[in-house]
Amino acid sequence: MDNPTALIVDDEPDIRELLELTLQRMDIDTVTAADLGQARNALATRNFQLCLADMRLPDGDGIDLVREIHEEHPGTPVAMITAHGNMETAIQALKAGAFDFVSKPVDLSVLRNLVVTALKLQEPGKQQICEDDQEDSQCPLRGASAAMDKVRSLISKLARSQAPVHITGESGTGKELAARLIHQLGPRNDNPFVAVNCGAIPHELMESELFGYKKGAFTGAVADKTGLFVEANGGTLFLDEVADLPLSMQVKLLRVIQEKMVRPVGATEELPINVRIISATHQNLAQRVQEEAFRQDLYYRLNVIELHMPSLRERPEDIPGLTQHLLENIASNYQQPVPELQPAALDALQHHPFPGNVRELENILERAFALCDDGIITLDDLGMLDLSVSPETGKAGQARLPGENLEDYLARIEKDILLEALEETGGNKTSAASRLGISFRSFRYRLGKLGIAGKDDEK
């Protein structure tokens, strides 16, 4: 089998020679170019499995070359060589379609990791999964709607990049599922996918959880502990509910992203890391920046490319297919026949607002499966309120008021759910949050957003 070939584009002879020697020792053939013109000529005459390009060239900008290769040679990953510490330039390159970047002076271990990861994109694998919606497909993201077609298409593209991705969407829309799929379809899929819920870790433990610690670093540190960044080395670290990070931790995370190094608590030396970061939150991160609750510089580092997961309300045409798929999974788990769903029950599902999205749909069907008789799920089995009841009931599942817009309607439903949970727990916010399956911080944020004052929790 022929060696892969890389195109090296840099106007500094010493840098070209260093890159050539490094790649040739990895059994990679090289072609060099000193400017954009020479690079374009080389691209016109042969195919390359990788391109390393300097940001600043005598006859133009390296980002222009990134865009050209991205459009005309989409199978060739391009890594940019940027000035040290110039993250703004690196982010521009990633947004333009660069696979990754490496800073000058070039760290050869970082370069080798980058090259190995890039060449894995050329290997036959699962990259085509999820390009199209097929009900018998291996793709876990179901739905034939245009919204889901767009999501699957973008995920396939994101899997070929190392750019940080920020996934937005309401709770229950499948943000972690999307993150896992980006990892599985990408060149890091042989390495770990590590997920962490930032809202579930106490603030005082967050640094030691993410970065690890050395024995004796603090009381109770009886042995070294590996942090989640190191656990994810070579793979992907998924930071869920990243908006819940305290400001002190945001500063440290920013430095890790920029330097690609972590320092365990109590350690004297930093450890190099090779991790792709995918973050997610159901909150409006841009608004959190305006409220000075989230650092703007970290926001720009994390939100290089945004992936929005649509709510179930935005794709009601997917509910029948999703319902059937979930029922098949539930029946398989219990080793029982797949139940039949009565038309009235399906109609109710299609008109339900689903504030909990796909997760709520799954919970409703799990309950219905357990309660149904003779393998037939009726409207009563769903345990949902009659959607035709009067708005004056003041309960979730109520009809939309005349002239009421969607945001106000959903806010009213959410408020009812929160108040009901508080009532059932005697006003204890921690218990109410647990009952709804969300973090305490998220519950408190929702209360504040909707102007609800709950009782203080007992100490």
Side-chain angles (χ1 to χ4, degrees):
M1 185 175 179
D2 294 337
N3 289 340
T5 305
L7 174 62
I8 299 170
V9 188
D10 199 299
D11 60 331
E12 297 182 48
D14 290 347
I15 295 290
R16 289 201 304 272
E17 183 178 4
L18 173 65
L19 297 178
E20 263 197 295
L21 289 173
T22 302
L23 267 58
Q24 287 171 359
R25 286 171 183 162
M26 298 175 69
D27 294 325
I28 299 171
D29 297 335
T30 59
V31 173
T32 62
D35 54 37
L36 285 177
Q38 292 181 16
R40 287 168 179 145
N41 289 336
L43 287 162
T45 58
R46 63 184 303 172
N47 294 323
F48 293 94
Q49 283 69 55
L50 171 67
C51 176
L52 300 174
D54 192 15
M55 180 62 70
R56 305 205 176 279
L57 297 165
D59 53 348
D61 195 324
I63 291 183
D64 293 334
L65 184 62
V66 171
R67 293 193 181 100
E68 290 177 25
I69 293 177
H70 188 61
E71 292 176 5
E72 299 173 16
H73 309 274
T76 303
V78 187
M80 294 303 301
I81 304 170
T82 66
H84 177 71
N86 194 343
M87 278 298 294
E88 287 72 20
T89 304
I91 288 172
Q92 288 178 29
L94 291 170
K95 285 182 178 291
F99 166 79
D100 206 343
F101 70 93
V102 61
S103 300
K104 292 181 179 179
V106 177
D107 184 321
L108 295 185
S109 64
V110 172
L111 176 65
R112 292 188 194 99
N113 286 332
L114 182 154
V115 170
V116 168
T117 304
L119 292 180
K120 285 184 179 179
L121 289 173
Q122 310 299 324
E123 298 174 2
K126 300 176 288 186
Q127 279 77 14
Q128 297 307 311
I129 295 176
C130 292
E131 285 285 359
D132 302 304
D133 176 63
Q134 299 173 358
E135 290 307 315
D136 59 346
S137 163
Q138 299 176 55
C139 180
L141 288 175
R142 298 283 171 147
S145 62
M148 289 308 295
D149 282 344
K150 183 178 179 181
V151 166
R152 284 188 294 269
S153 175
L154 184 53
I155 283 176
S156 292
K157 293 175 182 176
L158 294 176
R160 295 187 58 82
S161 168
Q162 295 302 291
V165 177
H166 181 59
I167 306 176
T168 61
E170 298 176 7
S171 295
T173 51
K175 296 187 290 294
E176 182 173 343
L177 193 63
R180 287 184 181 277
L181 198 54
I182 292 170
H183 171 79
Q184 290 166 6
L185 298 180
R188 295 178 177 267
N189 58 8
D190 292 333
N191 295 306
F193 175 92
V194 177
V196 53
N197 188 327
C198 299
I201 302 176
H203 290 183
E204 61 272 14
L205 299 179
M206 192 163 288
E207 182 175 3
S208 60
E209 284 293 316
L210 290 179
F211 304 151
Y213 56 77
K214 303 296 288 184
K215 178 181 178 180
F218 49 82
T219 303
V222 296
D224 292 353
K225 175 180 170 59
T226 300
L228 295 174
F229 267 92
V230 175
E231 282 187 16
N233 201 32
T236 301
L237 180 64
F238 176 55
L239 299 174
D240 198 8
E241 297 303 345
V242 71
D244 288 336
L245 282 173
L247 285 168
S248 59
M249 196 64 215
Q250 292 176 28
V251 177
K252 295 172 182 176
L253 177 60
L254 177 65
R255 187 178 185 282
V256 169
I257 293 173
Q258 292 184 159
E259 302 298 329
K260 298 184 178 181
M261 305 281 285
V262 297
R263 186 194 298 272
V265 178
T268 57
E269 296 182 352
E270 293 184 319
L271 302 173
I273 54 162
N274 170 29
V275 171
R276 183 182 191 181
I277 293 179
I278 301 178
S279 60
T281 182
H282 71 278
Q283 300 184 43
N284 186 328
L285 209 53
Q287 182 178 335
R288 298 282 286 168
V289 170
Q290 292 180 350
E291 296 168 353
E292 298 185 352
F294 201 87
R295 292 181 62 96
Q296 186 177 52
D297 45 9
L298 179 58
Y299 171 70
Y300 287 128
R301 301 298 188 271
L302 294 174
N303 194 32
V304 174
I305 303 175
E306 181 176 317
L307 171 64
H308 177 70
M309 296 300 293
S311 68
L312 208 46
R313 295 182 303 280
E314 297 175 69
R315 51 188 189 106
E317 63 269 39
D318 287 338
I319 290 176
L322 272 172
T323 298
Q324 183 62 30
H325 173 67
L326 291 171
L327 283 175
E328 289 172 0
N329 284 348
I330 294 168
S332 175
N333 290 339
Y334 288 99
Q335 297 183 336
Q336 296 288 327
V338 180
E340 176 188 342
L341 191 68
Q342 281 192 343
L346 179 58
D347 184 64
L349 289 174
Q350 289 184 284
H351 289 87
H352 185 62
F354 283 109
N357 293 291
V358 179
R359 188 181 298 135
E360 181 184 355
L361 173 61
E362 187 172 13
N363 289 341
I364 288 172
L365 295 175
E366 186 96 36
R367 177 184 186 277
F369 181 88
L371 295 178
C372 72
D373 295 320
D374 302 321
I376 299 175
I377 295 178
T378 66
L379 182 59
D380 289 340
D381 295 327
L382 296 179
M384 299 161 57
L385 296 174
D386 186 351
L387 296 176
S388 64
V389 298
S390 167
E392 284 75 23
T393 58
K395 296 290 185 180
Q398 60 196 308
R400 190 160 63 92
L401 297 172
E404 186 176 34
N405 64 38
L406 180 61
E407 287 188 7
D408 291 342
Y409 172 50
L410 296 176
R412 184 158 56 86
I413 291 173
E414 183 179 12
K415 185 173 183 179
D416 289 339
I417 293 171
L418 297 178
L419 288 172
E420 185 176 356
L422 283 171
E423 183 180 347
E424 291 172 350
T425 59
N428 186 293
K429 288 181 279 189
T430 301
S431 297
S434 177
R435 182 171 294 229
L436 294 175
I438 60 178
S439 70
F440 172 75
R441 289 174 60 83
S442 175
F443 185 77
R444 188 172 60 182
Y445 169 78
R446 290 169 183 268
L447 290 179
K449 183 182 70 171
L450 296 169
I452 303 173
K455 296 178 184 177
D456 290 334
D457 294 344
E458 296 180 3
K459 304 295 182 187

